């Protein structure tokens, strides 16, 4: 296999790991997510060492989260989304701010520098959209009060990741010259963001449906599938271009097509790609666990994982009581939001050594990945 192209070798490794481990995990009653995570650990740098470029795989696999948000958007009509505006910004801001405040206080109390404590608190306050929505969907909880509340909070977290990332250069202690951005530059940046979002909304209303009808008339199923994927990729690229969340843009596109006559066909075409790419995402998370940090600081890692999940659980369960969610739905709601999330990896990597020392970044990334592994087990 030494002369085989890299894509062929990688495909063979990922698919073999998934096909062997995931059915075994399901048979043991642990669920598919645990299977993907264990498969990632097995083939990663600390397992058999079959894959080393973990970050490249993680970036590619994040597209699975983008496709999932597009499909979630297809289930929500614009009027229904508008009716959720208060839960999204009310419940979402309450969860993020309360969890971040408590985690910052704990970090500062144990002696961490305030910048490190703040970045760690903001990253750890976020939850895994991929795992939470997958579990809500598998258990048919998305239409329940806890599912609606969880979805609203997760959607707000996707939005909140943008100002968090914008805050990091200010925490880096950069010079005034490095930080200075003219008012004109800021205005142009804001106009670019507004223009892209307006373009997605107007394009979704005026252009997408006629284009999809024209493609459908060609009676070529594979081209319609290609068009559906192109739509999601193009919107994700646009959102990335202006510095916004790709998943958020895909969700917005899904909402705009929720009333389209091709909604079910789009769902059917994209679902298999979403499932495979989400599986690859979880495999990449499993590979990203740095067991070197675990071996060096096992007690501190255990205390950090259990500590931040306990703190978040307390804050989230209190929020569930305030929201008057049904008592039987509160444990799942709390556990799914108490874990760390994929955006934490982005926050900790973007912070850089000037804010977050490299060893501390590896420590926090390992803690978040372990919480993502632990959460489905607890369920």
């Amino acid at each position: 296999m030494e002369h085989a192209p890299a894509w062929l070798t990688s495909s063979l490794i990922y698919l073999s790991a998934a096909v062997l481990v995931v059915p075994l995990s399901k048979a043991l009653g642990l669920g598919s997510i645990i299977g993907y995570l264990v498969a990632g650990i097995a083939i990663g740098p600390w397992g058999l060492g079959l894959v080393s470029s973990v970050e490249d795989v993680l970036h590619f696999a994040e597209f699975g989260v983008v496709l999932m948000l597009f499909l979630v958007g297809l289930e929500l009509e614009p009027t229904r989304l508008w009716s959720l505006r208060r839960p999204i910004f009310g419940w979402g801001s309450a969860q993020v701010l309360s969890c971040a405040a408590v985690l910052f206080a704990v970090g500062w109390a144990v002696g961490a520098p305030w910048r490190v404590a703040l970045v760690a608190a903001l990253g750890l306050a976020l939850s895994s959209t991929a795992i939470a929505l997958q579990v809500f969907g598998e258990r048919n909880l998305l239409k329940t009060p806890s599912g609606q509340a969880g979805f609203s909070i997760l959607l707000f977290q996707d939005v909140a990741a943008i100002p968090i990332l914008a805050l990091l250069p200010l925490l880096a202690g950069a010079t005034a010259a490095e930080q200075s951005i003219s008012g004109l530059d800021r205005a142009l940046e804001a106009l670019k963001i507004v223009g892209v979002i307006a373009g997605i909304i107007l394009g979704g209303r005026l252009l997408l449906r006629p284009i999809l009808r024209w493609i459908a008339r060609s009676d070529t199923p594979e081209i319609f599938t290609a068009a559906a994927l192109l739509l999601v990729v193009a919107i994700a690229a646009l959102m990335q271009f202006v510095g916004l969340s790709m998943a958020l843009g895909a969700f917005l596109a899904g909402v705009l097509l929720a009333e389209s006559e091709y909604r079910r066909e789009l769902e059917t075409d994209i679902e298999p790609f979403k499932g495979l790419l989400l599986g690859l995402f979880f495999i990449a998370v499993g590979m990203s666990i740095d067991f070197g940090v675990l071996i060096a600081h096992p007690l501190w890692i255990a205390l950090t994982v259990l500590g931040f999940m306990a703190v978040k659980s307390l804050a989230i369960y209190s929020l569930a009581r305030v929201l008057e969610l049904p008592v039987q739905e509160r444990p799942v709601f709390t556990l799914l939001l108490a874990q760390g999330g994929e955006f934490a990896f982005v926050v900790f990597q973007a912070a850089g050594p000037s804010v977050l020392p490299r060893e501390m970044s590896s420590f926090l990334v390992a803690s978040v990945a372990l919480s993502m592994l632990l959460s489905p087990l607890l369920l």
Side-chain angles (χ1 to χ4, degrees):
M1 292 289 286
E2 58 186 50
H3 300 298
W7 67 266
L8 181 61
T9 309
S10 298
S11 300
L12 181 63
I13 292 168
Y14 297 133
L15 291 173
S16 299
V19 169
L20 289 172
V21 179
V22 174
L24 181 61
S25 175
K26 292 275 281 186
L28 294 172
L30 297 175
S32 59
I33 294 172
I34 289 291
Y36 285 121
L37 291 170
V38 171
I41 293 169
I43 65 175
W46 292 93
L48 299 174
L50 300 176
V51 180
S52 55
S53 56
V54 179
E55 284 188 16
D56 294 341
V57 177
L58 194 57
H59 290 318
F60 174 72
E62 280 173 8
F63 191 57
V65 183
V66 172
L67 289 178
M68 179 178 65
L69 264 292
F70 176 73
L71 291 176
V72 169
L74 280 176
E75 296 294 330
L76 278 177
E77 295 179 358
T79 50
R80 191 169 158 221
L81 179 64
W82 181 249
S83 70
L84 287 172
R85 65 191 184 282
R86 287 182 182 173
I88 290 169
F89 290 97
W91 303 346
S93 59
Q95 184 272 324
V96 171
L97 293 175
S98 62
C99 289
V102 177
L103 289 168
F104 172 74
V106 171
W108 190 58
V110 298
W114 72 268
R115 284 187 179 87
V116 172
L118 181 58
V119 172
L122 291 171
L124 295 176
L126 305 176
S127 312
S128 174
T129 302
I131 291 178
L133 289 185
Q134 182 90 343
V135 173
F136 276 133
E138 284 177 355
R139 298 186 175 214
N140 295 318
L141 293 173
L142 273 175
K143 296 189 189 300
T144 64
S146 65
Q148 292 289 296
F151 170 74
S152 300
I153 289 169
L154 291 165
L155 189 58
F156 178 82
Q157 288 181 5
D158 281 353
V159 178
I162 299 158
I164 289 172
L165 291 172
L167 178 67
L168 295 178
L170 303 178
L171 294 174
T175 63
E178 289 170 333
Q179 289 183 12
S180 64
I181 299 174
S182 69
L184 180 61
D185 288 340
R186 288 183 183 277
L188 287 173
E189 196 69 25
L191 280 173
K192 189 163 64 170
I193 290 170
V194 170
V196 165
I197 292 175
I200 290 172
I201 293 172
L202 291 174
R205 287 285 183 185
L206 303 175
L207 297 176
L208 283 181
R209 292 178 191 178
I211 289 172
L212 287 174
R213 287 192 197 103
W214 177 68
I215 292 169
R217 279 201 296 271
S218 71
D219 201 23
T220 314
E222 65 275 15
I223 295 299
F224 191 88
T225 302
L229 288 171
L230 173 64
L231 167 66
V232 181
V233 171
I235 289 171
L238 274 174
M239 297 299 271
Q240 183 79 6
F241 172 68
V242 296
L244 296 177
S245 163
M246 293 189 294
L248 192 64
F251 171 75
L252 189 58
V255 171
L256 292 170
L257 288 169
E259 296 172 329
S260 163
E261 64 267 37
Y262 299 109
R263 170 180 151 187
R264 291 300 171 201
E265 197 168 349
L266 286 166
E267 281 182 331
T268 305
D269 286 346
I270 288 179
E271 186 69 42
F273 296 98
K274 181 215 73 169
L276 281 172
L277 285 170
L278 262 187
L280 183 59
F281 173 79
F282 294 129
I283 288 175
V285 169
M287 290 191 295
S288 70
I289 298 176
D290 189 345
F291 284 91
V293 176
L294 285 174
I295 294 165
H297 311 285
L299 183 60
W300 280 110
I301 284 277
L303 287 174
T304 302
V305 173
L306 296 176
F308 91 75
M309 288 187 73
V311 167
K312 284 181 73 175
S313 295
L314 187 62
I316 292 163
Y317 194 84
S318 302
L319 180 62
R321 292 186 64 181
V322 172
L323 297 177
E324 298 182 348
L325 296 181
V327 175
Q328 67 271 21
E329 295 178 15
R330 290 177 192 174
V332 174
F333 173 79
T334 302
L335 276 175
L336 286 177
L337 295 181
Q339 66 190 308
E342 51 273 3
F343 275 115
F345 300 138
V346 180
V347 171
F348 297 147
Q349 286 171 2
S354 54
V355 180
L356 210 58
R358 192 172 302 280
E359 188 175 348
M360 177 59 71
S361 178
S362 298
F363 182 92
L364 290 171
V365 166
S367 300
V368 169
L370 274 178
S371 75
M372 294 169 77
L373 176 64
L374 190 60
S375 184
L377 280 172
L378 290 172
L379 285 168

